[in-house]
């Protein structure tokens, strides 16, 4: 349809038909008819509302979507097709590592490829929109949803956001194998007070703009089709009712003219926030803020018509929102073909194809981070052929490798660590035991034990016996996947006690422990870190997880993952992030000689492992860091270069990271900020020069007048392996 035809359609619609387009209902309302009288009757949605609704969430599969669309159109007087949206967060059926893990690849093109594959599988399954990418900046590992973000750095998250949107949307939403992206959760949902889910967010506009809004903007600049408003308040105003955020920034400043969808029930929640007196006022506030689609409540359908008749809300506002929804359907080509690319045959053919699994395996190996290695890894042939390996732990043979937001992935498709080792058919002496369950308690009801103490004791004894008769132990530990994701904030971010006990008992009889971690958030692992021989952070590695872990521990792949989020020394440090400030009394990390300095008296300031950190089997050496010029003019650029040598027998990939510190300014500036990175592959003993262009725009920040500008002065440039790099070289900006 062209614009005029869309306007004609809009003008032909009744007010009920218009409001219906702003209602999104879950799949339950379309798959079984009694739902309007059944458990969801409290929603007050009636049959007519369902028939007039504009979109649905999490109804998937080509057959179901074709059937539902057909039924819907038969009842639609204006033949307006339904939009099918879903949470395809890290893959549809081929499941990739969780986004925080993918963030550790420092490989943006790989994230684009994962999104492209997710879009391919989801589009032939009939889907039109994914509620992804989630680009909330995260600094607090207590918050369960850190696993959904690509991490703590706004620059890195922005680079990823662009690539993920490109992967989903391709060049045009009319092209096959594409789906529309929905960037979320706008805005700053990742900074809840105390790390507590749905918590209030308070921060200066400077911090908001400088750190928290950057990645959303990157997605919008990449033409991301939708934005999802967040649950949280921002400086006292719920984002979902915040005109400043939704209209002044998102639409007026950034020029976003796409659809804004509320998060689940977030419009109704304006009442609970104490920002709306009742649903009717909530409807007025949300529509005026520019929220187009009301996800899963009846607030719009029950109140907008009255508000318009009472002239409390202008019909123009309603038309504006409805037109955006119709335009999105038009961009997807739904008026010409309401079934778009839904194809049951292709769905079977493409999903979990060999090519997709191959990319999933690559993504998993590149997202894993080697945190510690005393040289025991990679397990050499000499160990494999002559020594006995014990694989112990609740994740040894667990299929639960997907994380909390892989709701369409079948866990049965995952390759476990045990299966992968067996599939290698190596001449390897290995035995497998769980040693304990992930939790002693029922994960869904922590007051109920899931295993009797006697059974637990027996599992432990068998594991200790095996470990005492083995040369090396691979200990697969982790947090239960429902301990991360939405509604999973934790005050204690250590491993489950039963697993810590397993480590202790195994360590008593065998010191050669390789810990493999399966978790969504950075954990507090300080109690085991000092005694493990090696620690591989596998995160939730997805469908090919087991194979990817084997690729690394047996040396087929040299690990290259670098942390996208700091690992705290303990939960007392969070929120912790590398780009923090010097303070007026910086503590001397080496010797805490001065009590009156910015430090804790009982724990270090430094995280256990910093942003950007990760080991490799190679030994990368940096030398000859230099600047072609130490004066940068505002219009020009200066080259910074470094020589990287792979001083080892292993070929490998190094992530060379560029940080800059503004030594003084009209506001205090972070100790360092990531301004660039390069993935470079080096053969054994090979060396390469890496060059970065330093330009004035890298030095901009929000000054005291909230202008985004650079200021003349002195800067220190660091090029290193991770954010703890300390020796830098100085240059000045001369405007
Ligand atoms: C959830 C999440 C959001 C998700 C939506 C639809 O509450 O906050 O990320 O996309 O509802 O499932």
């Amino acid at each position: 349809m062209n614009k005029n035809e869309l306007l004609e359609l809009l003008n032909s619609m009744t007010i009920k038909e218009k409001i219906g387009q702003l209602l999104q209902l879950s799949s339950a309302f379309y798959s079984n008819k009694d739902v309007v009288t059944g458990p969801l009757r409290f929603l007050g949605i009636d049959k007519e509302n369902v028939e007039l609704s504009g979109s649905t969430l999490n109804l998937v599969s080509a057959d179901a979507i074709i059937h539902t669309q057909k039924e819907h159109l038969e009842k639609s007087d204006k033949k307006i097709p339904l939009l099918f949206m879903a949470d395809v967060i890290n893959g549809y059926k081929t499941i990739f590592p969780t986004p925080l893990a993918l963030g550790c690849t420092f490989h943006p093109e790989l994230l684009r490829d994962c999104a492209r594959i997710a879009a391919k599988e989801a589009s032939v399954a009939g889907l039109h929109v994914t509620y992804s990418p989630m680009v909330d900046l995260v600094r607090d590992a207590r918050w369960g949803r850190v696993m959904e973000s690509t991490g703590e750095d706004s620059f890195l998250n922005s680079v990823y956001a662009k690539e993920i949107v490109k992967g989903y949307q391709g060049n045009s939403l009319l092209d096959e194998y594409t789906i529309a992206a929905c960037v979320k959760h706008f805005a700053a949902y990742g900074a809840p007070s105390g790390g507590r889910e749905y918590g209030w967010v308070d921060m200066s506009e400077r911090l908001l703009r400088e750190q928290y809004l950057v990645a959303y903007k990157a997605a919008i600049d990449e033409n991301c089709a939708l934005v999802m408003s967040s649950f949280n308040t921002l400086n006292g105003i719920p984002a979902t009712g915040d005109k400043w955020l939704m209209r002044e920034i998102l639409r007026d400043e950034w020029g976003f003219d796409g659809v804004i969808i509320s998060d689940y029930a977030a419009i109704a929640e304006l009442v609970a926030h104490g920002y709306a007196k009742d649903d009717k006022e909530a409807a007025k506030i949300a529509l005026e803020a520019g929220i187009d689609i009301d996800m899963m409540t009846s607030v719009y359908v029950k109140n907008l018509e009255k508000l318009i008749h009472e002239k409390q809300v202008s019909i123009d506002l309603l038309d504006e929102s409805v037109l955006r929804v119709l335009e999105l359907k038009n961009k997807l080509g739904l008026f010409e073909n309401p079934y778009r690319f839904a194809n049951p045959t292709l769905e079977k053919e493409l999903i979990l194809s060999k090519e997709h699994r191959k990319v999933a395996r690559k993504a998993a190996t590149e997202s894993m981070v080697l945190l510690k290695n005393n040289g025991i890894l990679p397990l050499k042939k000499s160990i494999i052929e002559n020594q006995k390996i014990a694989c112990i732990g609740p994740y040894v043979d667990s299929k639960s490798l997907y994380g909390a937001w892989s709701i369409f992935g079948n866990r049965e498709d995952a390759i476990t660590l045990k299966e992968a080792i067996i599939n290698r058919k190596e001449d390897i002496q290995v035995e497998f035991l769980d040693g304990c369950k992930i939790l002693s308690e029922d994960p869904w009801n922590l007051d109920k034990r899931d295993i009797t103490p006697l059974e637990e004791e027996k599992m432990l004894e068998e594991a200790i016996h095996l470990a005492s008769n083995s040369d090396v132990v691979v200990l697969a530990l982790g947090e239960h996947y429902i301990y991360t994701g939405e509604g999973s904030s934790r005050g204690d971010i250590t491993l489950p006690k039963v697993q810590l006990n397993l480590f202790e008992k195994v360590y008593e009889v065998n010191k050669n422990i390789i810990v493999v971690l399966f978790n969504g958030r950075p954990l507090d692992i300080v109690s085991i870190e000092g005694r493990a021989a090696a620690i591989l952070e596998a995160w939730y590695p997805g469908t090919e997880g087991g194979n990817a872990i084997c690729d690394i521990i047996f040396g087929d792949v040299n690990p290259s993952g670098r942390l996208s989020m700091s690992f705290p020394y303990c939960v007392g440090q969070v929120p912790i992030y590398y780009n923090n400030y010097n303070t007026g009394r910086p503590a001397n990390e080496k010797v805490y000689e001065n009590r009156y300095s910015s430090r804790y008296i009982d724990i270090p300031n430094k995280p256990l492992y910093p942003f950007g950190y990760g080991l490799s089997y190679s030994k990368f050496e940096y030398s000859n860091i230099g600047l072609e010029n130490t004066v940068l003019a505002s219009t020009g650029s200066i080259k910074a270069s470094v020589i990287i040598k792979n001083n080892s027998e292993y070929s490998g990939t190094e992530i060379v990271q560029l940080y800059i510190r503004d030594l003084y300014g009209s506001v205090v500036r972070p100790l360092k900020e990531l301004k660039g990175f390069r993935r470079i592959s080096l053969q054994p003993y090979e060396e390469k020069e890496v060059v970065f262009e330093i330009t004035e725009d890298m030095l901009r920040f929000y000054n005291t007048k909230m202008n985004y500008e650079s200021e003349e002065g002195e800067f220190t440039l660091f090029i290193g392996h991770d954010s703890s790099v300390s020796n830098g070289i100085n240059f000045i900006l001369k405007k």
Side-chain angles (χ1 to χ4, degrees):
M1 272 193 191
N2 61 38
K3 183 83 177 191
N4 288 338
E5 288 166 325
L6 280 178
L7 287 171
E8 259 169 54
L9 170 60
L10 176 70
N11 295 331
S12 74
M13 292 163 72
T14 66
I15 191 161
K16 282 191 183 343
E17 286 171 335
K18 289 179 180 178
I19 295 170
Q21 285 303 303
L22 308 190
L23 171 64
Q24 177 169 101
L25 294 173
S26 66
S27 53
F29 286 88
Y30 305 87
S31 40
N32 55 8
K33 301 301 165 237
D34 75 340
V35 82
V36 287
T37 54
L40 292 172
R41 64 182 172 287
F42 68 90
L43 272 176
I45 301 282
D46 61 29
K47 219 160 142 309
E48 186 195 25
N49 296 143
V50 180
E51 287 169 7
L52 293 177
S53 60
S55 60
T56 173
L57 78 144
N58 291 336
L59 194 160
V60 295
S61 105
D63 284 326
I65 285 178
I66 290 167
H67 171 74
T68 304
Q69 188 71 290
K70 189 164 172 293
E71 256 196 355
H72 189 79
L73 288 170
E74 278 161 6
K75 295 182 188 125
S76 165
D77 178 33
K78 299 295 186 317
K79 303 300 169 207
I80 302 172
L82 264 178
L83 263 177
F84 292 85
M85 306 193 192
D87 289 292
V88 179
I89 306 302
N90 46 307
Y92 176 59
K93 291 289 184 185
T94 301
I95 302 300
F96 301 104
T98 42
L100 191 67
L102 288 172
C104 298
T105 64
F106 281 74
H107 196 170
E109 299 74 20
L110 179 57
L111 272 75
R112 182 176 65 219
D113 216 16
C114 293
R116 176 187 62 80
I117 289 170
K120 193 169 180 178
E121 294 190 352
S123 61
V124 296
L127 285 172
H128 305 146
V129 176
T130 176
Y131 305 118
S132 171
M134 186 274 216
V135 299
D136 302 325
L137 187 86
V138 290
R139 295 173 155 179
D140 190 328
R142 291 172 295 182
W143 192 49
R145 300 191 77 164
V146 299
M147 48 74 66
E148 266 178 274
S149 164
T150 44
E152 73 181 54
D153 183 76
S154 56
F155 170 82
L156 187 61
N157 289 351
S158 308
V159 170
Y160 288 142
K162 287 167 80 79
E163 294 305 321
I164 296 169
V165 170
K166 273 187 217 163
Y168 286 137
Q169 299 190 162
N171 299 319
S172 158
L173 289 175
L174 294 173
D175 292 346
E176 66 174 348
Y177 303 147
T178 61
I179 52 174
C182 173
V183 65
K184 68 186 184 183
H185 304 81
F186 194 66
Y189 175 37
S193 176
R196 209 175 79 199
E197 184 59 283
Y198 313 124
W200 54 97
V201 173
D202 276 295
M203 64 174 70
S204 67
E205 184 179 342
R206 172 174 296 107
L207 180 63
L208 177 72
R209 285 180 177 276
E210 213 152 82
Q211 298 290 341
Y212 285 84
L213 293 186
V214 185
Y216 303 113
K217 172 104 176 31
I220 300 301
D221 290 347
E222 199 54 47
N223 295 319
C224 186
L226 297 91
V227 171
M228 183 186 290
S229 71
S230 59
F231 292 122
N232 56 287
T233 56
L234 177 60
N235 300 331
I237 299 179
T240 299
D242 188 339
K243 264 193 222 170
W244 175 74
L245 205 48
M246 298 299 164
R247 285 197 182 276
E248 287 182 43
I249 292 191
L250 186 55
R251 294 206 188 278
D252 300 346
E253 259 186 58
W254 295 359
F256 177 66
D257 60 0
V259 167
I260 303 176
I261 183 168
S262 77
D263 201 341
Y264 198 108
I267 294 180
E269 289 172 10
L270 294 177
V271 179
H273 276 296
Y275 193 65
K277 180 164 74 328
D278 52 26
D279 278 358
K280 188 175 173 186
E281 189 180 17
K284 175 173 167 29
I285 290 169
L287 195 73
E288 286 175 347
I291 308 296
D292 299 315
I293 296 180
D294 174 4
M295 185 192 288
M296 270 303 277
T297 82
S298 54
V299 171
Y300 272 7
V301 290
K302 295 286 175 216
N303 295 285
L304 283 184
E305 188 170 0
K306 237 179 303 168
L307 286 163
I308 288 166
H309 286 158
E310 291 164 2
K311 300 209 179 317
Q312 288 196 51
V313 163
S314 129
I315 182 81
D316 298 343
L317 266 188
L318 173 65
D319 286 351
E320 178 195 309
S321 284
V322 176
L323 186 58
R324 283 194 283 260
V325 174
L326 297 178
E327 280 169 344
L328 175 59
K329 296 183 177 183
N330 198 40
K331 263 192 234 168
L332 288 156
L334 295 181
F335 289 106
E336 288 73 30
N337 174 10
Y339 307 99
R340 201 161 177 266
F341 305 120
N343 182 324
T345 314
L346 258 187
E347 184 180 16
K348 288 185 191 64
E349 224 172 85
L350 289 178
I351 279 175
L352 282 161
S353 68
K354 265 190 58 207
E355 184 236 340
H356 294 181
R357 277 187 174 269
K358 194 164 162 241
V359 174
R361 184 164 177 166
K362 177 178 169 60
T365 53
E366 289 196 20
S367 64
M368 292 181 189
V369 185
L370 185 60
L371 298 175
K372 183 179 180 187
N373 183 23
N374 70 357
I376 191 170
L377 287 179
L379 289 175
K380 294 188 177 63
K381 271 219 168 307
S382 56
I383 291 186
I384 294 171
E385 283 161 3
N386 306 313
Q387 297 192 353
K388 187 168 175 201
I389 298 173
C391 262
I392 296 172
Y395 270 97
V396 158
D397 200 25
S398 167
K399 293 263 182 193
S400 191
L401 305 180
Y402 293 170
W405 272 109
S406 314
I407 52 183
F408 306 114
N410 298 319
R411 281 168 166 68
E412 286 322 302
D413 298 325
I415 305 289
T416 71
L417 176 56
K418 177 179 177 182
E419 287 167 341
I421 291 176
I422 292 168
N423 292 347
R424 288 176 71 89
K425 296 188 175 37
E426 308 243 17
D427 178 13
I428 182 170
Q429 296 175 64
V430 60
E431 276 189 54
F432 305 94
L433 279 176
D434 284 358
C436 69
K437 291 180 77 111
I438 292 175
L439 291 167
S440 306
E441 307 78 14
D442 170 353
W444 308 95
N445 172 1
L446 297 182
D447 299 335
K448 199 162 102 341
R449 273 191 74 93
D450 210 18
I451 176 172
T452 66
L454 217 55
E455 288 165 329
E456 198 161 72
E457 189 51 38
K458 188 166 175 301
M459 286 177 84
L460 181 60
E461 270 160 23
E462 287 167 356
I464 296 167
H465 178 70
L466 174 60
S468 56
N469 294 300
S470 302
D471 301 291
V472 173
V473 178
V474 175
L475 203 50
L477 308 175
E479 62 180 345
H480 193 283
Y481 81 90
I482 61 141
Y483 267 39
T484 60
E486 185 171 355
S488 306
S489 290
R490 292 175 63 194
D492 170 355
I493 53 174
T494 57
L495 282 162
K497 290 185 179 27
V498 68
Q499 295 184 45
L500 291 173
N501 184 49
L502 175 64
F503 176 91
E504 295 300 337
K505 296 296 181 217
V506 166
Y507 185 74
E508 281 170 14
V509 297
N510 193 317
K511 302 290 181 272
N512 296 324
I513 301 178
I514 299 160
V515 172
V516 182
L517 287 174
F518 298 78
N519 45 299
R521 59 165 48 88
L523 293 175
D524 167 356
I525 56 171
V526 71
S527 67
I528 62 172
E529 192 266 346
R531 289 172 291 165
I535 302 174
L536 178 66
E537 175 53 79
W539 305 109
Y540 291 118
T543 307
E544 285 292 318
N547 284 330
I549 293 167
C550 286
D551 289 344
I552 288 182
I553 61 176
F554 292 106
D556 302 336
V557 172
N558 189 350
S560 62
R562 303 285 183 267
L563 288 178
S564 58
M565 187 175 181
S566 308
F567 252 68
Y569 176 84
C570 68
V571 73
Q573 278 187 338
V574 299
I576 184 164
Y577 42 97
Y578 82 92
N579 46 350
N580 55 60
Y581 301 89
N582 204 33
T583 77
R585 297 190 177 188
N588 173 344
E589 292 294 331
K590 292 193 180 52
V591 177
Y592 282 135
E593 82 283 353
N594 178 356
R595 179 181 184 83
Y596 302 102
S597 61
S598 177
R599 66 188 182 92
Y600 303 98
I601 56 172
D602 55 352
I603 56 172
N605 286 2
K606 275 186 180 162
L608 189 63
Y609 301 110
F611 172 82
Y613 170 86
L615 298 178
S616 156
Y617 297 145
S618 305
K619 195 165 173 303
F620 294 114
E621 291 167 351
Y622 286 62
S623 61
N624 299 359
I625 297 179
L627 272 169
E628 70 175 345
N629 192 328
T630 55
V631 179
L632 172 64
S634 50
T635 51
S637 68
I638 49 176
K639 281 190 175 50
S641 60
V642 62
I643 301 291
I644 315 283
K645 176 168 186 178
N646 172 7
N647 197 4
S648 79
E649 61 188 279
Y650 297 98
S651 58
T653 298
E654 171 64 335
I655 313 290
V656 184
Q657 299 162 40
L658 166 75
Y659 296 91
I660 293 180
R661 178 184 179 183
D662 186 345
L663 293 176
Y664 47 83
S666 59
V667 292
V668 294
R669 309 285 296 117
L671 283 166
K672 52 172 76 88
E673 296 175 287
L674 182 71
K675 293 295 179 187
F677 59 90
R678 294 277 190 291
R679 289 175 58 81
I680 57 159
S681 297
L682 292 166
Q683 292 307 311
Y685 307 106
E686 183 188 11
E687 66 178 40
K688 275 181 188 168
E689 181 184 58
V690 173
V691 177
F692 292 97
E693 286 280 326
I694 312 302
T695 49
E696 175 272 337
D697 62 303
M698 290 176 169
L699 312 178
R700 293 179 193 165
F701 62 96
Y702 286 91
N703 62 19
T704 43
K705 297 189 186 67
M706 286 302 286
N707 299 324
Y708 190 62
E709 293 167 358
S710 60
E711 292 173 357
E712 285 197 338
E714 211 170 341
F715 300 81
T716 302
L717 175 137
F718 306 87
I719 300 179
H721 171 81
D722 62 47
S723 61
S724 67
V725 55
S726 53
N727 48 340
I729 39 177
N730 284 15
F731 67 94
I732 60 167
L733 172 66
K734 201 112 188 64
K735 290 185 135 182

